[in-house]
Amino acid sequence: MEYVLIFISAIFVNNIILSQFLGICPFLGVSKKIDTSLGMSAAVAFVLTLATIATWLIQRYVLDAFGLQYLQTIAFILVIAALVQMVEIVLKKVSPALYQALGIFLPLITTNCAVLGVAILVIQKDYSLLQSIVYAFSTALGFGLALTVFAGLREQLSLVRVPRGMQGMAIVLVTAGLLSLAFMGFSGVDGGLRTLFGLD
């Protein structure tokens, strides 16, 4: 049941974009069309899960083992950058079709702070490896959900007349704020489920 709570909480209650404000750059930059947002979501899900596994193992078996916890941030950044490059090279050789489908999104993930944020959060929450994997994948799903819903809203906004003072980034930020408020409606779900199943 703990894994179900992690899953629901990461997607809806503590959404990485709308509640924790990580990954805002792709949220605002890659959300003009649903197609591109789906591509970015798939790439983030793939890399986020792999990066979380790699950084968790490095934290437990290298940094903690040798007392090098102060190198966590720089080590994680290097691992994520190297992992993205390796994934890109392997995909180019093994599956050119998937490589073409992901296209520009893979290099963009290197600078996505959500990947580093999740890698650090699983260490701070003291999750096991399996809990970390569930949390990372759920967070990626929450990222994809927020990005896709926002892209749909932006596509609809392009079809309506917006007042001149609200055109451009202004209406985009207002829409993002309203979407964040909508997701705040899930804030009581996590506590309610914990109480229901006696996990408090």
Side-chain angles (χ1 to χ4, degrees):
M1 185 45 69
E2 187 67 35
Y3 295 106
V4 175
L5 287 174
I6 290 171
F7 185 79
I8 292 170
S9 177
I11 294 174
F12 299 108
V13 182
N14 297 314
N15 188 282
I16 196 78
I17 296 174
L18 301 173
S19 295
Q20 301 183 54
F21 308 110
L22 293 171
I24 295 292
C25 292
F27 181 65
L28 295 175
V30 191
S31 60
K32 291 181 181 174
K33 292 185 180 294
I34 291 177
D35 293 343
T36 54
S37 65
L38 287 172
M40 185 64 173
S41 302
V44 165
F46 186 61
V47 172
L48 190 61
T49 308
L50 282 180
T52 302
I53 294 168
T55 52
W56 189 93
L57 292 171
I58 284 168
Q59 179 71 36
R60 288 288 183 265
Y61 298 110
V62 178
L63 300 181
D64 288 348
F66 296 103
L68 300 171
Q69 292 90 342
Y70 60 91
L71 292 174
Q72 183 190 67
T73 305
I74 190 73
F76 283 11
I77 289 170
L78 291 172
V79 167
I80 290 164
L83 187 67
V84 170
Q85 289 302 312
M86 283 194 305
V87 166
E88 197 171 351
I89 291 166
V90 169
L91 279 180
K92 198 171 186 178
K93 294 278 186 190
V94 176
S95 178
L98 183 58
Y99 176 76
Q100 289 294 329
L102 293 176
I104 191 69
F105 302 123
L106 272 176
L108 282 175
I109 293 169
T110 310
T111 58
N112 189 345
C113 58
V115 179
L116 178 63
V118 170
I120 292 172
L121 281 170
V122 295
I123 303 302
Q124 289 177 347
K125 292 173 185 282
D126 200 30
Y127 280 158
S128 67
L129 181 57
L130 187 56
Q131 286 175 322
S132 299
I133 293 168
V134 170
Y135 179 75
F137 185 70
S138 306
T139 300
L141 288 179
F143 178 92
L145 176 67
L147 194 62
T148 308
V149 169
F150 191 55
L153 290 172
R154 286 186 73 176
E155 281 190 359
Q156 290 298 312
L157 277 173
S158 68
L159 302 174
V160 298
R161 289 182 62 216
V162 178
R164 185 177 295 176
M166 292 294 291
Q167 287 175 1
M169 193 50 69
I171 192 67
V172 170
L173 292 174
V174 168
T175 307
L178 291 171
L179 186 60
S180 183
L181 283 171
F183 268 71
M184 278 182 65
F186 294 111
S187 60
V189 172
D190 189 39
L193 286 173
R194 287 185 177 278
T195 305
L196 182 64
F197 294 105
L199 293 170
D200 276 338

